[in-house]
């Protein structure tokens, strides 16, 4: 028997809380790592490990409620794949919650470490090679999410998505933000994981380009239909 999906307000709240928690983990672990070591490799390793573990746990906990997107490119790509089912109102609500949650998470992380919340980041990330890395990181993320749905293995998302992000933090030049909402949130933290506000538009554009590339790759590999995918029973109307 298929369970009814949670009401939209609860799903939106789940996206707000989940995105906020994710950004708090990313930013907070970066601040902690920065205070404990001057070795950039050690800091990156600590931040990548905490980010991947936190993301996996959040997907496992919140996935049955909202699908655990925490990311506008995931929401948009999944909506496009299921656009015949509608859900445009959910897309706007999800993205709004993700953006608000990301900012709240960054401010929370700053406050937890006794820093003044709301200081703009000063780390410029506008070089072309960084934008290329960010497009690649986002394309890979979308391909993983779409691929799991196409092969009927969405239950693997906590491990697969978290594992991919942990790896992409290392193998991409950008550090794999791969998330426009998190990018906006990280502009509110002048820390190891921050991004200067002036760099945000180009980063977001690279992420959207990566989303399109990931969807094209998924279409090439799996076709336009996910024949074996089973919908999440707790989120039958999920946009992704």
């Amino acid at each position: 028997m298929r369970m009814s999906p949670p009401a939209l307000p609860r799903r939106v709240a789940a996206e707000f809380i989940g995105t906020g928690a994710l950004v708090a983990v990313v930013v907070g672990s970066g601040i902690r790592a920065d205070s404990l070591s001057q070795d950039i490799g050690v800091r990156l390793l600590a931040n990548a490990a905490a980010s991947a573990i936190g993301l996996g746990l959040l997907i496992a906990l919140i996935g049955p409620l909202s699908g655990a997107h925490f990311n506008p490119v995931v929401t948009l790509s999944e909506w496009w794949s299921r656009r015949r089912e509608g859900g445009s109102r959910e897309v706007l609500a999800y993205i709004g919650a993700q953006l608000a949650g990301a900012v709240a998470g960054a401010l929370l992380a700053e406050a937890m470490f006794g820093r003044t919340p709301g200081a703009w980041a000063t780390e410029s990330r506008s070089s072309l090679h960084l934008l290329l890395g960010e497009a690649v990181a986002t394309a890979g993320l979308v391909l993983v999410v779409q691929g799991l749905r196409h092969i009927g293995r969405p239950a693997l998302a906590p491990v697969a998505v978290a594992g991919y992000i942990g790896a992409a933090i290392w193998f991409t030049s950008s550090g794999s933000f791969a998330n426009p909402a998190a990018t906006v949130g990280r502009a509110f933290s002048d820390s190891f994981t921050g991004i200067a506000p002036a760099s945000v538009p180009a980063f977001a554009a690279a992420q959207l380009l990566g989303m399109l590339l990931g969807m094209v790759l998924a279409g090439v590999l799996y076709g336009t239909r996910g024949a074996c995918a089973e919908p999440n029973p707790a989120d039958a109307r999920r946009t992704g």
Side-chain angles (χ1 to χ4, degrees), residues 179-209:
N179 184 333
T183 302
V184 170
R186 288 160 74 160
F188 286 82
S189 175
D190 191 16
S191 62
F192 180 67
T193 58
I195 177 171
S199 299
V200 169
F203 242 59
Q207 290 157 354
L208 292 174
L209 179 61

Side-chain angles (χ1 to χ4, degrees), residues 44 83 180:
L44 187 61
R83 60 193 180 279

Side-chain angles (χ1 to χ4, degrees), residues 73 122 193 214 227:
V73 300
T122 55
T193 58

